[in-house]
Amino acid sequence: MKVDQIIELFREEFPRSSSELKHTWAVFWANFKIFLSYRTWVITETLSTVASIAMYFFMGLQVDTNRFISAGYGDVTWLAFAIVGVSTANYLWMCISRISHSLQHEVSEGTLEPIVSSMIKLRSYIIGQSIRGFIVSSYFMVGTLLIGVLVLKAPLTLTVETLLSFIVILVMMIVSYAGIGIMAAGIILVYKKGDPMTFLLASITEFLGGVLFPLNYLQSYPILYGLAWAMPYTYALDAARRILLTGATLASPPVLYNFAVLVLFTLVFMPIGLRTFRWGMDRIRREGTVATY
Amino acid sequence: MDHGKIVELMSAETPRKKLPTYQVVISFIIRDFLIWWTYKFWLTLDISGNILFVATYYLFSLITSPQQIREAGYVTGGYFTFALIGIAFQQYVFFAVQSINQSVREEQVNGTMETVLSSATDFKVFLLGETCFFFIICSAFLFISFFVGYLLGATFTLSLESLLSVIVLSALLIASHMAIGVLSAGVIMKTKQGNPLTWVFSWLTQLVSGVFYPLKLLPWYLEWIGKLFPLTYSLDGIRLCLQGGQSLASPAVMNNIINLLIFTVVATPIAVYVFKLGYDAARRDGSLGQY
């Protein structure tokens, strides 16, 4: 391309759209295309997911059925129990870490300043990135559940009612943690670090939430047991297991109770998250540190 | 500092001499330690993650039956001790396979690979130096895992003979996996990309080597694949010593040692040769400094 042509290209007037919907779509599409270009990553992650489900299958062969049944989820297999735990835990953290991870990436690549200076509102940026996160995470979650049900014959109760109830609980789980994700993003904007905190929170949540073991076994440790029920994930996982393992729906009182607690967590965390994010954004603008890392 | 002094300093003739290998290796360890120590928050996270991982398998062990573990010959400790040994020693696999790759990749990305390899440092010493620090760290994490496991009730059959046998088996575990790491680093030297094969190797090892369950639970074809991986023999030998009270004198443990020796003797020269091919190719292309 000649120099004149390049200069001409820069001079060309483009009609700029101020539609937030278009901005959100543009952010999503740009990032989704980047994701699709990492074919090796997608293949290795898929294979690794398959291997980990197979591993849980073999681990399940060592479970003492009587001890497991006495933990309170009825006559179900440990494999089904673990698959619901693992798939929801992975889904949650892939979604939540997406916002902080992408912001950290923009900071280190030096592209945050152009984004902030452009017409795109950060709200559109965050929603666009989140949609990309939901789609990628859903691929792995649905894959895990399908392999569990179709290949390993994990007995999950899949009806229209249970599936709809499960989706509602998943959405509430993500929304109740979105405040934490947005808060982490606000902290990253200022301190340019913060992913380690999300990582630690993920490890603690997975441990205390009872992904691989029934929570009744934590009762011997009252502090840990108390902490477990202070996290939204524990309620979301309990509801998801009641739905997919025992066929309960949103209309069942225990599931409805878990749903109500998730709504309560959302009402508490979301304003804190949004306020932290606004504080971070205002501060880096005032200090002129948008481009530093 | 006055610019004249700086010029003088740069012009001064420094007598260069070839340092003994151990001094170069110690320099690598000190350098890596100093870098690692600056990331104290990550260190805390790594230790917390390790403790949570062990605690998760302790709670999982409460719903398991020790029957299959005993049938496999590991009579002491039940499932928790079995899983603890798997968790603690699989870290060496990560260390041996991933650390060399990670080091080579970091040197490439930081632009220091060309400088290091253009110096008087031999590439074999470079590889040794890069891996020694990770070995120390992984050993520390192994002890942390065992300490947490012990506090949670893991039990072992300990005797001088069994402990010595575990040390021999651990050394062979590292040596056999180091070969795979070196081979993979050779590929990275040329391709300048993270090697997905190493990654696949890591999770395949976890699936078929009996980290979380005895091999007898696998279908015959996976059990057969498991026998191609050195971790299978290492873990079986270590468990027979720590959970079965056996030692090098026992035929089952000796069989594992022979298999590990064969793997190491065959794989090491191949790995060093592949690394040298990648290294020479990168030097010939003049791409040592690229990433």
Side-chain angles (χ1 to χ4, degrees):
Chain A
M1 196 182 253
K2 286 182 183 164
V3 177
D4 293 346
Q5 283 175 311
I6 296 172
I7 293 172
E8 194 66 32
L9 205 69
F10 277 114
R11 280 190 181 146
E12 206 175 321
E13 278 289 321
F14 277 104
R16 294 184 186 223
S17 165
S18 59
S19 156
E20 273 197 49
L21 202 66
K22 278 189 180 168
H23 291 170
T24 307
W25 170 257
V27 171
F28 157 71
W29 188 236
N31 283 284
F32 194 66
K33 279 204 289 193
I34 294 172
F35 162 74
L36 290 178
S37 70
Y38 288 99
R39 287 197 190 89
T40 315
W41 182 84
V42 177
I43 293 167
T44 48
E45 276 294 316
T46 306
L47 288 174
S48 145
T49 307
V50 174
S52 68
I53 302 163
M55 216 173 74
Y56 291 124
F57 171 77
F58 295 118
M59 277 170 67
L61 299 178
Q62 300 169 101
V63 170
D64 182 330
T65 316
N66 293 331
R67 287 188 203 182
F68 179 64
I69 288 174
S70 66
Y73 279 99
D75 191 8
V76 293
T77 64
W78 179 82
L79 178 67
F81 174 90
I83 278 179
V84 177
V86 172
S87 60
T88 51
N90 290 346
Y91 184 71
L92 174 65
W93 292 108
M94 279 182 87
C95 289
I96 296 306
S97 62
R98 182 68 212 153
I99 305 169
S100 55
H101 183 77
S102 55
L103 268 178
Q104 197 145 38
H105 186 70
E106 304 286 4
V107 167
S108 62
E109 295 286 313
T111 44
L112 184 64
E113 197 165 34
I115 290 171
V116 172
S117 319
S118 73
M119 285 172 75
I120 297 174
K121 285 188 178 159
L122 262 175
R123 186 171 44 202
S124 312
Y125 174 82
I126 287 175
I127 297 172
Q129 285 282 10
S130 303
I131 295 172
R132 180 262 192 219
F134 291 142
I135 290 178
V136 175
S137 318
S138 300
Y139 162 74
F140 287 106
M141 191 193 66
V142 173
T144 305
L145 291 174
L146 283 180
I147 293 170
V149 174
L150 300 177
V151 182
L152 301 173
K153 308 289 175 205
L156 298 184
T157 315
L158 300 175
T159 63
V160 179
E161 289 85 3
T162 56
L163 281 176
L164 283 176
S165 304
F166 179 60
I167 291 169
V168 171
I169 290 295
L170 271 187
V171 171
M172 277 319 296
M173 175 178 82
I174 298 298
V175 174
S176 65
Y177 272 94
I180 297 171
I182 295 171
M183 199 187 324
I187 293 169
I188 286 171
L189 286 177
V190 177
Y191 298 106
K192 318 294 179 195
K193 280 177 187 171
D195 249 10
M197 277 309 292
T198 328
F199 171 77
L200 183 65
L201 203 64
S203 308
I204 293 172
T205 305
E206 275 180 42
F207 170 65
L208 291 177
V211 171
L212 295 183
F213 55 84
L215 268 189
N216 284 6
Y217 283 91
L218 261 189
Q219 277 177 339
S220 326
Y221 310 91
I223 297 174
L224 292 180
Y225 191 68
L227 281 174
W229 288 105
M231 300 184 317
Y233 177 68
T234 312
Y235 295 91
L237 183 56
D238 186 58
R241 278 182 175 147
R242 283 180 193 280
I243 292 166
L244 293 181
L245 301 183
T246 66
T249 63
L250 263 183
S252 320
V255 178
L256 203 57
Y257 167 74
N258 287 323
F259 177 81
V261 176
L262 289 173
V263 172
L264 200 67
F265 273 114
T266 309
L267 293 176
V268 173
F269 283 132
M270 195 57 105
I272 299 174
L274 289 173
R275 191 161 283 207
T276 312
F277 189 79
R278 181 165 295 214
W279 162 81
M281 203 61 227
D282 289 347
R283 186 166 155 176
I284 59 167
R285 275 184 168 148
R286 206 173 44 245
E287 292 176 350
T289 56
V290 179
T292 60
Y293 66 93
Chain B
M1 198 186 253
D2 178 298
H3 75 274
K5 279 185 188 170
I6 298 174
V7 173
E8 204 175 315
L9 204 72
M10 302 278 274
S11 318
E13 277 288 322
T14 316
R16 294 187 187 220
K17 56 178 182 181
K18 203 168 163 46
L19 288 171
T21 305
Y22 78 92
Q23 275 193 20
V24 181
V25 171
I26 289 173
S27 306
F28 268 100
I29 293 172
I30 293 171
R31 180 201 68 166
D32 288 338
F33 178 79
L34 291 174
I35 295 172
W36 181 74
W37 192 244
T38 58
Y39 295 97
K40 291 189 188 73
F41 191 62
W42 274 109
L43 167 67
T44 318
L45 285 183
D46 280 344
I47 294 172
S48 320
N50 201 279
I51 293 170
L52 286 175
F53 199 50
V54 173
T56 301
Y57 278 87
Y58 163 70
L59 287 162
F60 173 68
S61 75
L62 299 178
I63 53 168
T64 57
S65 148
Q67 192 192 337
Q68 282 103 342
I69 304 291
R70 287 197 182 130
E71 279 171 8
Y74 316 127
V75 281
T76 312
Y79 181 77
F80 179 50
T81 308
F82 176 90
L84 180 67
I85 293 172
I87 291 167
F89 280 94
Q90 76 154 345
Q91 288 181 122
Y92 271 128
V93 173
F94 176 79
F95 141 70
V97 177
Q98 300 281 5
S99 67
I100 306 176
N101 287 296
Q102 202 182 315
S103 301
V104 169
R105 200 68 199 118
E106 268 174 25
E107 300 280 5
Q108 280 178 339
V109 172
N110 292 336
T112 44
M113 175 66 90
E114 195 167 30
T115 321
V116 174
L117 291 177
S118 311
S119 69
T121 312
D122 183 62
F123 81 89
K124 291 192 205 77
V125 180
F126 164 76
L127 280 177
L128 189 67
E130 289 280 13
T131 51
C132 273
F133 174 71
F134 285 100
F135 166 70
I136 295 168
I137 293 299
C138 285
S139 303
F141 275 95
L142 181 126
F143 285 114
I144 291 171
S145 303
F146 271 108
F147 181 66
V148 175
Y150 174 73
L151 292 180
L152 289 172
T155 49
F156 307 96
T157 318
L158 290 178
S159 67
L160 187 63
E161 291 82 10
S162 63
L163 275 179
L164 283 174
S165 310
V166 168
I167 291 169
V168 172
L169 282 157
S170 306
L172 283 169
L173 174 133
I174 296 164
S176 54
H177 285 93
M178 196 85 86
I180 297 157
V182 171
L183 191 138
S184 164
V187 177
I188 291 178
M189 275 281 188
K190 177 73 181 139
T191 59
K192 322 282 180 205
Q193 280 175 358
N195 190 352
L197 279 178
T198 324
W199 208 60
V200 171
F201 174 84
S202 296
W203 61 251
L204 204 56
T205 298
Q206 204 175 51
L207 176 69
V208 295
S209 292
V211 176
F212 296 110
Y213 36 79
L215 277 196
K216 292 278 171 220
L217 291 181
L218 295 175
W220 66 268
Y221 48 90
L222 285 182
E223 196 182 338
W224 188 83
I225 294 173
K227 287 181 178 164
L228 298 174
F229 288 83
L231 185 67
T232 308
Y233 302 103
S234 319
L235 283 181
D236 185 49
I238 291 167
R239 282 175 178 142
L240 286 174
C241 294
L242 292 180
Q243 289 192 271
Q246 298 188 30
S247 68
L248 284 177
S250 121
V253 177
M254 193 42 91
N255 186 39
N256 285 320
I257 286 184
I258 291 168
N259 282 320
L260 284 169
L261 273 174
I262 292 171
F263 189 92
T264 311
V265 168
V266 172
T268 305
I270 297 173
V272 174
Y273 177 70
V274 171
F275 185 85
K276 197 160 174 8
L277 280 183
Y279 173 58
D280 288 345
R283 282 207 301 188
R284 217 174 22 250
D285 303 345
S287 64
L288 269 179
Q290 292 174 4
Y291 65 92

